[in-house]
Amino acid sequence: MHVIKASNASDFLGLVPALLGFTPTRSIVAIPFEGNRTLGAARFDLNPAHGPSEIASTVVGIICRVEAADGLAVVVYTDDDSDTCRGLAPALLARADECGLTIKDALYVAHNGWGGLLTDEGPRPLAEINASLAEGHPIAGDQRVDGTANVAAVQLAVRRFHIGVHAETTDNDAFLRFAQ
């Protein structure tokens, strides 16, 4: 087991692909926490047909079922600009509060930059995302290869995320920890 500390949001965003085993696109990644340690990750398709309340209910509902989870971090990966995902933050906060989860962070990665969903700040440059902490950890690449889903990468992510079951750990698993 590897423990990697993310001291800020750009470090955390650089580590999410290593935690999943692939770089997500058009997705919401929900990362349950017990204290400051991750318990895995779940990726949800970002479907524009569903509103913020429905998306938040689904995401938080799944994380509520993770044994020992007391917190949640969410990252929205979108091909659109940063403004398109801002409406999700209030719904996530409300659902997490109903479930007794603390929101550790809510971030986005858009074509025009990255930033926090819980702030009014404009997007920051994508080049600021610090992937150097993930060097040496397996990342299978994009979740899509030649226009089709990268099944091996998705299966890897599913194996690392067990709802209501103790997570399997191997020497290849990478756990993220928020620095205090």
Side-chain angles (χ1 to χ4, degrees), residues 89-124:
L92 282 169
L93 288 170
R95 295 296 178 264
D97 187 53
E98 289 172 6
C99 200
L101 295 172
T102 301
I103 295 284
K104 296 285 190 176
D105 214 341
L107 304 165
Y108 66 85
V109 178
H111 78 85
N112 64 332
W114 71 273
L117 292 173
L118 304 176
T119 70
D120 291 331
E121 294 177 18
R124 302 185 60 82

Side-chain angles (χ1 to χ4, degrees), residues 27-87:
S27 304
I28 297 172
V29 176
I31 302 157
F33 278 81
E34 179 180 17
N36 289 330
R37 186 174 176 174
T38 63
L39 297 172
R43 188 198 67 80
F44 302 85
D45 287 336
L46 188 57
N47 186 340
H50 301 292
S53 181
E54 186 176 2
I55 292 169
S57 291
T58 300
V59 170
V60 174
I62 294 293
I63 301 305
C64 282
R65 296 173 53 194
V66 176
E67 189 176 315
D70 58 13
L72 165 69
V74 176
V75 182
V76 177
Y77 290 87
T78 180
D79 294 337
D80 296 324
D81 64 31
S82 58
D83 292 334
T84 61
C85 53
R86 291 212 179 263

